[in-house]
Amino acid sequence: MSLRIFISVLLGIGVGYFFLPSTISSSMGIIIDIGLMILLFFVGMDIGKQKDVFGKIKKMGLRILLVPIAIIIGSVVGSILAGFLIKMPINEAGAVGAGLGWYTLSSTMLLADGYVELSALAFLSNVFREIIALITIPLIARYVGKLESVSTAGATAMDTSLPVISRATDPQTTIIAFITGVICTAAVPIILPIILKL
């Protein structure tokens, strides 16, 4: 699974770089959205087949919130520690991690505040996070744990990474991943400016 995802990403990069006409590239956002909606529709159908999943999620209760909270804390603390290695200010390093994989919003917010270089770093870091997540989710799910595989996705657990999580885990983990992605996505515009102003 991971090898197929990696090859797909490389093929996409090659086609985009060498063959994609400019007329199609201007509509790429719409094409990606349509493809993603189709993927998510089939993920939803797969979840819907499992009649007992929602009961299991209900039994978990508020404990389900521990997954996104741990992801948010881990992402911010991890980026701060990485920032020490390259001598970045703590607030700027934390702000990069606070993007939680949502590269478009985090880089835009930083750019709007006048952080041009930090915006570029946040964009690249969060793009790489998504690519790494797509490649490693099946491996982590198999060798470490199903819930642990959700952590790599961050905010993308509700959209681009969800089909990979669904395929690599089970319907219960898929629903937890979706909820986690929603919470992480909602957290980015709140925590990023707070961390940046520390």
Side-chain angles (χ1 to χ4, degrees):
M1 180 71 173
S2 295
L3 183 61
R4 284 183 290 184
I5 292 168
F6 183 68
I7 290 169
S8 297
V9 170
L10 288 180
L11 284 173
I13 291 169
V15 169
Y17 188 81
F18 293 109
F19 304 110
L20 195 68
S22 58
T23 52
I24 294 176
S25 62
S26 61
S27 304
M28 192 53 68
I30 295 168
I31 295 168
I32 290 170
D33 286 345
I34 292 168
L36 185 58
M37 292 304 123
I38 292 168
L39 278 173
L40 294 176
F41 174 76
F42 286 110
V43 168
M45 279 179 41
D46 189 45
I47 292 169
K49 285 190 317 186
Q50 315 296 324
K51 309 294 184 197
D52 61 335
V53 166
F54 295 102
K56 289 178 182 175
I57 297 294
K58 192 174 179 181
K59 283 181 186 175
M60 290 182 73
L62 291 177
R63 286 182 300 157
I64 202 167
L65 298 178
L66 293 175
V67 177
I69 290 168
I71 290 170
I72 292 166
I73 292 169
S75 296
V76 173
V77 171
S79 64
I80 288 171
L81 293 174
F84 280 125
L85 297 175
I86 57 174
K87 297 180 174 36
M88 275 182 76
I90 291 173
N91 63 327
E92 292 184 9
V96 171
L100 303 174
W102 192 359
Y103 54 86
T104 51
L105 180 67
S106 59
S107 59
T108 304
M109 288 177 70
L110 290 167
L111 190 60
D113 282 344
Y115 294 93
V116 178
E117 291 178 3
L118 194 63
S119 171
L121 180 61
F123 178 81
L124 290 172
S125 297
N126 287 293
V127 165
F128 288 140
R129 177 179 182 156
E130 184 174 340
I131 292 169
I132 290 167
L134 292 172
I135 294 167
T136 61
I137 284 168
L139 297 172
I140 295 169
R142 185 172 182 181
Y143 297 109
V144 181
K146 292 175 183 175
L147 277 180
E148 289 82 351
S149 70
V150 176
S151 66
T152 57
T156 67
M158 66 175 269
D159 47 49
T160 51
S161 299
L162 191 62
V164 180
I165 293 168
S166 173
R167 179 127 185 208
T169 62
D170 54 42
Q172 182 175 331
T173 307
T174 303
I175 293 174
I176 293 170
F178 182 79
I179 293 166
T180 297
V182 170
I183 292 169
C184 287
T185 298
V188 173
I190 299 168
I191 64 170
L192 195 150
I194 292 170
I195 292 169
L196 197 57
K197 287 173 184 171
L198 292 176

